[in-house]
Structures are given as C-alpha cells and as structure tokens.
Amino acid sequence: MTTKLPAPSRWWHIMPIVFITYSLAYLDRANYSFAAAAGINEDLGITKGMSSLLGSLFFLGYFFFQIPGAIYAEKRSVRKLIFLCVLLWGACATLTGLVSNIPMLIIIRFTLGVVEAAVMPAMLIYISNWFTKSERSRANTFLILGNPVTVLWMSVLSGYLIQALGWREMFILEGFPAVLWAFYWWKTARDKPQQVSWLTQQEKDDLDEIMVNEQKNIKPVRNYAEAFKSKNVILLCAQYFCWSIGVYGFVLWLPSIIRGASNMGMVETGWLSSVPYLAATIAMITVSWLSDRMQNRKLFVWPMLLIGATCFLGSFLLGADNFWLSYTLLVIAGASMYAPYGPFFAIIPEMLPKNVAGGAMALINSMGALGSFIGSWVVGYLNGATGGPGASYIFMGSALFVSVLLTIIVKPNADKESAQPLPQAA
C-alpha cells in the first residue's frame, strides 16, 4: 500500500476552481437578503409574509433536485452537470434584476434553487474522487469556504452597489460572472485523476491505490435504498436539517436584523454583516486542519454547534439595548455554525462505500435544504409578526441545540468496525 500522498499539485489545480464555482453559487443565492433590506418589497408590493416565502423559495427547488443531480454526477459526470448548472444559475440571477411582478420573482427564485441543487453534492463527489481520507476535511472546507468568504465580500459590495445603483443593478452585475465562469470550468475541470495531463502516470496510479485501499475498510452497501435506511444517515439528515435552520435563517436575515436594531444605512449594514463571515473563515480553516490531523470528525462538530446555539440565546437575552455586545455574540455564533462543515461532510464518505456515498450526501444535503427553507421562512415570518428578532433567536438557537444532541448520538465508526475486507481483484 502506498503510504505517502502523491501529487500535492492537486490542491493548486483543483481547489481554486472548486472554490470559485461554489463562491459564485453562493453569491447568487444570498444577495436576495440585501435586496430585501434595500426595498425590493416596497418596489414590487411584496407583503411581509410573501417576503419570507420568497426568501426561502430557493431552498424548495434546491430540496427536490438534490438526489437526481447527485446520482447523475456519481454515475456519469460532475464536469458536465456543473457546467450546465453554472450557466443556468447565472442567467436566473441576472434575470432577478429584471423582474416586474411577484409571479415572475417566484418562478426565478424556485428555478434558481433547482439549477443550484446539484452543486453541493456534485462538488463533494468531485472532491472524493481527488482527495484521500487524510485530506478530505480540509478539501471540503476549501469548497464550503466559498460560502462565508463570498458573503464576506458580497456584504460590502452589495451594500455599495445598492446605494450607488439600486437592487436591480446589483442582481444583474453579480449574476453575469457565473455565465462566463461556466466556460472556464468546462475548459479546466476533469472528473477523475486519470483524465488529466498534469499528473504523471505513477502519481495517478498511486492515488488510485490509496482510494481503493480506503474502501476496503468500509462495510459494503448494495444500493441507495439500503444506504438511506442506515441509522447514521437518518440521524445525519435530521441533524443537518436542524443545523441548517440556524445557518440560513442567520444568512438570509442578518442584514435586516442588524439594520432594524441599529438604524444604520446599507453600507454600514454591509460592513457589519461581513464580520461574522470573516470569523467563520478563520474558524473553518482551523477546525478542518485539526479534524484531519486527529482523524476525529464528531469532536469538531457538536462542540462548535453548542457554542453557536449558546451565543444565539445570549444575544437574544442581551437585547437591542446592548447592540454591540449582542452583535459580538452573533459574530461568534456565525463563526461557530460554519466551523464544522469540513469535518461533517468528511463523515459520509468514510462511513459509506463509494457506490452510495454521493447519493447519501445528496439526501443529507437535501434535508439541509428543507431546513434552510423552513428556517429562512419562519425567521422572516417571526421578524415580521413580532416586530423584532428575539423570537427568531430562540427558534434558531433551539434548532441548533437539537442538532448538537443528534450529532452526539451518531456513531460513524459502527459500520466500519463491522466491515469485512472486500475480495481482492484477480
């Protein structure tokens, strides 16, 4: 068995295009929060209840098309699927700036969710084709860093664009780059190491050997139906559902919460909204490195979520009268919620064999999308119904506490311990 990791150049060839692709996806889904804070509701005659539905409608489309997309990526080609998705979501994001009525906005938001649905599971499959167990938490983190890093600069850029041009122009200018990027992705991305020219044949063979040997210690699973019935998969689905309620309620409504509590302008709101994502970036890199070094995934998931839940409730208890201290706790909560993504998504391919791991990740991510839909909708509704963010904090914090308990219950090594070695090829 090969003991050293071949081809460190994989990081430089693979991770930049993975990071940028997911960054553009996140840009075009999260900038709606700034339009909501900047007057899209008044311009289109959107009620508070409809606003919360529109903010979350993306995740409904996202929920329904996760698994079909992952199966296509696993059985056929990540490269082809991502190319089409990037092209279409860039078009949808740009068209958002041209909407003139609510039905048109409903269709675009739902369609945007549909075409982005396959991106996360397809990218996780892509990473599992290129990176080994000892690298996977860090590789996953570089993918998901596209989320907080994008919101970090998007928060500032969107604030300036809205102030200078308006929310329509913001959507158009932030959607168009994805259309161009689709063609760069097609030119540079390849599905498997054996398909590239920048690795030597020995490096390709060494990497394949490591991947094959890693699969020998995982219990065989015949099909998706068997994988989806696994106790661990079911628990992780429920865990990610609750986790996502907190995360996406936070992402979509943070600008409105800050602006409402502080009475600041859009530029100041944008700068304040960016700080939790800067903290999240640092936390994610640190936690993923420690997780790969210690090869312990759970240890770096539930404690971080516990800190996030506690800070949410602490922020609520302090209230708007202590804005800056309350805001500081929100920064810590945001960083803590994002920190465990790399270790979390490293659990599945280490628990399930390659033939079903992609579908299981899609199922778990689809439940996260459902949690995101409910979280963003309910947070928006509670903010409008109560006239403040207090009830939202309790809702999101409670969901995070449940996710902590579910993470503790999961035993990802149970199947590995009962696995029988796979027969050697003749």
Side-chain angles (χ1 to χ4, degrees):
M1 177 177 175
T2 304
T3 55
K4 70 174 184 177
L5 294 176
S9 59
R10 286 172 299 140
W11 290 91
W12 297 106
H13 281 88
I14 299 300
M15 296 319 299
I17 61 171
V18 165
F19 174 81
I20 293 172
T21 302
Y22 194 64
S23 294
L24 290 172
Y26 214 82
L27 167 66
D28 290 335
R29 79 175 70 166
N31 55 9
Y32 184 83
S33 62
F34 283 87
I40 189 174
N41 296 344
E42 292 78 8
D43 291 349
L44 297 182
I46 300 170
T47 65
K48 289 183 178 179
M50 179 58 69
S51 178
S52 63
L53 175 61
L54 284 167
S56 56
L57 198 58
F58 166 90
F59 298 108
L60 197 57
Y62 198 78
F63 169 72
F64 284 114
F65 290 88
Q66 286 274 309
I67 296 175
I71 292 174
Y72 180 90
E74 199 164 49
K75 303 296 184 185
R76 294 179 179 270
S77 172
V78 173
R79 178 176 175 243
K80 292 178 182 178
L81 181 65
I82 294 295
F83 170 74
L84 183 60
C85 288
V86 175
L87 200 61
L88 291 176
W89 92 53
C92 285
T94 300
L95 287 172
T96 307
L98 304 176
V99 296
S100 58
N101 55 63
I102 295 174
M104 188 184 300
L105 185 57
I106 288 173
I107 293 170
I108 289 175
R109 288 296 295 176
F110 181 79
T111 306
L112 184 66
V114 170
V115 297
E116 282 197 26
V119 175
M120 180 67 165
M123 285 299 197
L124 290 169
I125 292 168
Y126 188 60
I127 285 171
S128 70
N129 290 337
W130 282 92
F131 296 95
T132 67
K133 177 182 176 182
S134 63
E135 305 169 303
R136 209 163 282 143
S137 179
R138 283 168 292 158
N140 289 344
T141 292
F142 278 108
L143 163 67
I144 302 166
L145 272 175
N147 175 325
V149 171
T150 299
V151 180
L152 173 63
W153 61 261
M154 181 204 74
S155 297
V156 177
L157 176 64
S158 296
Y160 278 110
L161 286 176
I162 288 171
Q163 179 168 286
L165 302 171
W167 62 264
R168 290 185 181 277
E169 289 78 7
M170 177 200 71
F171 279 123
I172 294 169
L173 292 174
E174 291 182 351
F176 188 67
V179 177
L180 299 178
W181 181 256
F183 295 96
Y184 186 80
W185 164 270
W186 181 258
K187 181 181 179 181
T188 57
R190 294 296 182 270
D191 286 307
K192 302 283 180 65
Q194 292 289 347
Q195 298 171 345
V196 300
S197 59
W198 45 266
L199 290 178
T200 67
Q201 190 57 50
Q202 184 62 52
E203 287 174 325
K204 296 174 187 178
D205 293 342
D206 288 347
L207 192 57
D208 282 346
E209 183 184 357
I210 294 173
M211 300 290 196
V212 169
N213 278 294
E214 286 179 355
Q215 292 292 301
K216 291 178 182 178
N217 295 320
I218 301 175
K219 181 181 178 181
V221 177
R222 290 189 300 271
N223 51 43
Y224 290 118
E226 184 178 332
F228 293 172
K229 293 176 183 176
S230 161
K231 179 183 177 182
N232 279 334
V233 170
I234 292 170
L235 286 171
L236 289 172
C237 283
Q239 188 269 8
Y240 200 47
F241 173 88
C242 294
W243 182 359
S244 297
I245 285 176
V247 170
Y248 283 96
F250 179 87
V251 169
L252 277 175
W253 298 107
L254 180 64
S256 296
I257 289 171
I258 290 175
R259 196 174 189 193
S262 62
N263 294 315
M264 293 182 181
M266 279 306 304
V267 172
E268 292 84 358
T269 298
W271 279 103
L272 286 179
S273 297
S274 71
V275 175
Y277 302 104
L278 175 60
T281 300
I282 297 168
M284 288 176 73
I285 293 171
T286 303
V287 165
S288 67
W289 181 81
L290 289 170
S291 173
D292 273 346
R293 185 175 179 85
M294 297 179 66
Q295 285 295 296
N296 188 324
R297 308 308 185 188
K298 278 179 57 175
L299 181 63
F300 295 97
V301 177
W302 70 262
M304 301 306 298
L305 295 179
L306 181 61
I307 293 171
T310 303
C311 288
F312 259 131
L313 295 183
S315 181
F316 160 69
L317 292 173
L318 285 171
D321 293 337
N322 299 283
F323 173 76
W324 289 108
L325 188 54
S326 178
Y327 170 75
T328 300
L329 290 180
L330 278 182
V331 171
I332 297 171
S336 300
M337 283 190 298
Y338 275 97
Y341 273 120
F344 178 80
F345 281 107
I347 292 173
I348 298 99
E350 294 172 11
M351 181 179 71
L352 292 171
K354 203 171 184 65
N355 64 308
V356 295
M361 286 190 287
L363 178 65
I364 292 166
N365 202 46
S366 69
M367 294 308 297
L370 186 60
S372 303
F373 172 75
I374 292 174
S376 55
W377 189 4
V378 172
V379 167
Y381 171 79
L382 289 174
N383 288 346
T386 64
S392 300
Y393 290 162
I394 295 176
F395 172 65
M396 290 186 283
S398 299
L400 287 170
F401 275 121
V402 174
S403 74
V404 169
L405 295 175
L406 290 170
T407 308
I408 293 171
I409 295 171
V410 171
K411 296 181 179 179
N413 293 322
D415 288 340
K416 184 189 296 185
E417 290 166 358
S418 63
Q420 297 298 319
L422 295 176
Q424 299 291 322

